[in-house]
Amino acid sequence: MPSDRTRALILDAAERLYAERGFGDVTLRDIVAAAGVNLAAVNYHFGSKDELIAELFVTRGIATNRARLAELKAAEVAGGGRADVKAILRALVGPTLRGCLGPDNEQSSAAHFMIRASIESVPPIRRIKNREIDHLRKFAAAIRRSLPDCDEADLYWGLHFALAMAHQTIRDTERLTKLSEGSCDINDVEALIGRIVEAAAMTLTARASANRTPGRTEAAAIAMRRAEKLKS
């Protein structure tokens, strides 16, 4: 069997099994049995179970990040180099949510694999998430251009909160559906994206607006002088 074909069979089998059963319950022997190859083939192509998981996650992650950056670029072109903050946030969370949720993804191994990756904290995926942040810096720079009055820390918190809302929604769709007795429609992905974008944008614009309030800097200086007098 050609080497590339063997590699593809292993990846397809691993993604399907991890999507169905999770990372902890699937062994390399399960994967080779499903792929119709021998254990030596997995060791040759990937080296270990962790490397195999990392390969799958990186492959899916690259596709998501490309979609994110393409949407961000389009938003910045439309805004003459300065995209609206809502368009930036939509580009950030939209591809992830579209790739995991909605009726079209109910039978998708790729979607269920990424949902597992969001739910289950496994070392190879954690390491990749903590390391691969360069594309997120591009979103931070775009927000900085969109909201020049936004404090640097507020900017990163806003970006973090937008990602957190997206990932929490992916992880807890069943609980949200039960809690809301079905009134929260998880299958309406575009509406869901809109809700997350509105919430994150509201936080960022409110903080930036507060930094533009007339007299804010002077009031802070007066308060500091009063505090110094009380100390003396």
Side-chain angles (χ1 to χ4, degrees), residues 92-154:
L92 177 68
V93 302
T96 300
L97 290 161
R98 292 188 199 101
C100 291
L101 303 179
D104 293 342
N105 289 317
E106 287 179 1
Q107 305 302 321
S108 166
S109 291
H112 285 280
F113 173 83
M114 292 305 285
I115 292 170
R116 288 282 188 186
S118 185
I119 294 171
E120 298 181 30
S121 182
V122 292
I125 291 177
R126 268 202 313 275
R127 286 193 292 269
I128 293 166
K129 285 182 175 180
N130 291 335
R131 185 178 69 238
E132 301 296 332
I133 59 173
D134 285 347
H135 72 287
L136 294 178
R137 294 192 188 283
K138 294 178 181 179
F139 282 89
I143 295 172
R144 192 178 295 112
R145 289 190 290 273
S146 180
L147 300 174
D149 295 314
C150 189
D151 179 78
E152 193 77 358
D154 291 338

Side-chain angles (χ1 to χ4, degrees), residues 19-189:
E20 292 171 357
R21 293 160 48 185
F23 298 109
D25 290 341
V26 176
T27 67
L28 287 181
R29 293 192 181 279
D30 294 330
I31 293 168
V32 298
V37 301
N38 57 45
L39 191 57
V42 177
N43 293 329
Y44 173 77
H45 286 286
F46 304 100
S48 68
K49 179 179 176 178
D50 277 4
E51 290 301 318
L52 176 53
I53 292 171
E55 175 82 8
L56 283 166
F57 184 73
V58 167
T59 300
R60 295 303 177 194
I62 286 172
T64 298
N65 291 342
R66 280 177 178 166
R68 281 174 166 171
L69 293 175
E71 288 191 27
L72 176 62
K73 182 178 179 179
E76 295 212 292
V77 169
R82 183 173 168 177
D84 179 79
V85 69
K86 290 183 181 179
I88 297 168
L89 293 169
R90 183 174 293 277
L92 177 68
V93 302
T96 300
L97 290 161
R98 292 188 199 101
C100 291
L101 303 179
D104 293 342
N105 289 317
E106 287 179 1
Q107 305 302 321
S108 166
S109 291
H112 285 280
F113 173 83
M114 292 305 285
I115 292 170
R116 288 282 188 186
S118 185
I119 294 171
E120 298 181 30
S121 182
V122 292
I125 291 177
R126 268 202 313 275
R127 286 193 292 269
I128 293 166
K129 285 182 175 180
N130 291 335
R131 185 178 69 238
E132 301 296 332
I133 59 173
D134 285 347
H135 72 287
L136 294 178
R137 294 192 188 283
K138 294 178 181 179
F139 282 89
I143 295 172
R144 192 178 295 112
R145 289 190 290 273
S146 180
L147 300 174
D149 295 314
C150 189
D151 179 78
E152 193 77 358
D154 291 338
L155 181 157
Y156 286 108
W157 277 118
L159 189 150
H160 175 75
F161 289 153
L163 289 170
M165 281 189 283
H167 287 296
Q168 181 63 22
T169 302
I170 291 168
R171 284 193 293 265
D172 268 346
T173 54
E174 186 177 354
R175 182 171 66 171
L176 176 60
T177 300
K178 288 180 179 178
L179 179 64
S180 69
E181 296 182 341
S183 62
C184 293
D185 185 2
I186 299 300
N187 285 324
D188 190 348
V189 180

Side-chain angles (χ1 to χ4, degrees), residues 4-21:
D4 289 348
R5 175 63 175 159
T6 300
R7 182 184 177 86
L9 286 171
I10 294 168
L11 288 169
D12 288 346
E15 184 172 67
R16 185 174 68 256
L17 291 175
Y18 288 139
E20 292 171 357
R21 293 160 48 185

